[in-house]
Amino acid sequence: MPSVTVAAIKEISAAVHRQVAELGWRRKAPHLVRESAGVIHGIHFQASQFGSADRGTFTINLVVTEPRIYEAWIRRPLPANPATALYPVQQRIGRMSPSARDHWWDVSATTDLSVVQRDVLDLLSIAERDFFVQFRSLEDMLERLRQLGTLPGLHGRQGGVTRGLIAAILGYTAEAETVLRQEVASSTVPGFTYNIREAAKHVGIHV
């Protein structure tokens, strides 16, 4: 018998999908995915590891990924359920709220899931307007990296590396070589340097 949290996520995911299917979302239970100009948008339901069978919490990650960039950096094929691929873009749905803070929903056997569903749909409507529209293609991601140097969910020097990899994928070879060589030269961690070189090699750049 599934935990209350797993059952709640299943029910809320199905209900949300009925409301957003017309926007192109498909349900790959319990998550939702859609394609946009070659990139994949994901709505990733994440249950807390610290719940019990009759009480728990969950949150939602907003995800944007693409097979070539994911495989280059992660060095694994894109998962069968792409909503679980939390690279290169990942942001908690709580950032869409007025407080812009991480948010987890509490669920138990007595929780009115229709209230939680409305909360989720309200935040997803904001995400459609303010988040996913920024990442409709790899070109959108590259332009943001050029301007801001990072994407939601990236840390440290991952922004520069990701810019170089995307530039290579899109055919901006000179930009990719320049950026990735700069990242290799700036890296002081041998393991990270190795990862950059291997990822660059995956997209046809030797640094």
Side-chain angles (χ1 to χ4, degrees), residues 114-128:
S114 67
V115 173
V116 178
Q117 176 191 327
R118 286 195 297 271
D119 286 347
V120 170
L121 284 169
D122 286 346
L123 292 178
L124 283 177
S125 69
I126 298 171
E128 285 286 353

Side-chain angles (χ1 to χ4, degrees), residues 39 41 64 131-137 140-141 144 151-152:
V39 302
H41 294 168
V64 187
F131 180 77
F132 286 115
V133 72
Q134 299 180 64
F135 308 108
R136 292 172 293 191
S137 65
D140 286 348
M141 290 190 208
R144 184 180 174 108
L151 298 171

